[in-house]
Amino acid sequence: GLYGFTVQDMISLADRLATTETINGKKFDVHVVRKVQLYPLQQGIFNIDAMEVRNKVEFSKSAVSKKTEQEIAEGIFPHDEIADRSNTVVYENNMRTEPVAITVKPTPAKSKPEDYTGATGNFRISALLEKNGLAKNEEGDLIITISGKGNFTQLSAPVIQWPAGIEGFEPTVVDSLDHEHAPLNGKRVFHFRFVSTKPGNYVLPAAGFSYYN
């Protein structure tokens, strides 16, 4: 259980990531069972549950030409298949980690902007209009991009102060993130749709975004 965090998977069993490692002169298969990024949702002390692996290795008492089979499964253990094991030796063992405690510190309260909502990392922001000229009642798009590195999964949309005469709508969000790097690297793009029923020249104010670096 990874309670108290937003979880971003990096490696899972489906990736079948395996390497060979030499320990005390002997070679071993090494499998990465899971790798995640954790982004805390609040301050405090949180515990990562112990993780358990059950191993079952079957050896034949006689020489066989059968290719070695290996399977790693997650979740509920399936029932053992009924088979003739008179000529085999099965070794089983369980191993588990200790629980891991993580202390999440608060962000500094000094000089914290009022619009700060928890973004942590190193970011840049830019804005552009899809079209600078629109007809009456024609929908336009204001595109705001936040790029950089950090907890993208917790970024909220910038607040737009639409000028009188323009009606704005909730944005759609498109992410382009590299999940293999920590922290997350890439960009989040907000598409704000708007419309005006009154002809004229309008200036859209700058959009603000606060983050802790």
Side-chain angles (χ1 to χ4, degrees):
L2 304 172
Y3 310 111
F5 299 89
T6 296
V7 180
Q8 180 63 61
D9 285 297
M10 299 176 71
I11 298 173
S12 67
L13 282 180
D15 295 309
R16 298 183 178 273
L17 182 62
T19 59
T20 301
E21 200 171 302
T22 301
I23 301 175
N24 297 328
K26 295 183 178 181
K27 290 186 177 182
F28 293 86
D29 288 335
V30 179
H31 300 268
V32 178
V33 177
R34 193 177 186 198
K35 183 178 181 180
V36 299
Q37 297 182 44
L38 302 179
Y39 293 98
L41 299 172
Q42 58 188 3
Q43 67 187 66
I45 299 176
F46 300 91
N47 289 306
I48 306 299
D49 292 344
M51 299 185 184
E52 182 175 348
V53 176
R54 187 180 81 170
N55 297 290
K56 178 181 290 186
V57 185
E58 183 177 312
F59 292 94
S60 174
K61 294 180 181 179
S62 58
V64 294
S65 59
K66 181 181 177 182
K67 183 180 179 181
T68 301
E69 295 181 358
Q70 183 170 267
E71 180 182 1
I72 302 178
E74 183 177 16
I76 300 174
F77 297 115
H79 295 292
D80 292 335
E81 296 180 0
I82 299 174
D84 180 13
R85 300 185 184 277
S86 58
N87 199 38
T88 61
V89 177
V90 177
Y91 293 91
E92 293 189 49
N93 82 303
N94 288 8
M95 56 185 179
R96 58 189 286 130
T97 68
E98 295 295 326
V100 178
I102 299 179
T103 301
V104 179
K105 300 178 180 180
T107 51
K110 182 180 179 180
S111 303
K112 182 187 292 186
E114 291 185 2
D115 65 343
Y116 177 72
T117 59
T120 303
N122 197 344
F123 301 100
R124 300 176 300 277
I125 187 172
S126 62
L128 61 87
L129 285 170
E130 190 174 58
K131 292 173 62 177
N132 291 85
L134 299 170
K136 178 181 175 181
N137 293 323
E138 180 185 359
E139 290 184 336
D141 264 317
L142 172 63
I143 301 172
I144 295 181
T145 301
I146 297 177
S147 58
K149 298 179 180 180
N151 59 341
F152 277 95
T153 56
Q154 295 169 308
L155 297 189
S156 55
V159 177
I160 307 298
Q161 302 296 333
W162 299 103
I166 290 183
E167 181 183 4
F169 305 100
E170 289 297 313
T172 58
V173 182
V174 179
D175 287 336
S176 299
L177 304 174
D178 184 353
H179 296 160
E180 296 183 358
H181 288 82
L184 286 171
N185 182 17
K187 62 182 179 180
R188 171 166 285 187
V189 182
F190 300 91
H191 293 260
F192 291 87
R193 188 62 54 87
F194 65 91
V195 67
S196 177
T197 59
K198 298 179 180 179
N201 294 319
Y202 297 90
V203 176
L204 300 184
F209 171 67
S210 297
Y211 67 93
Y212 177 59
N213 66 354

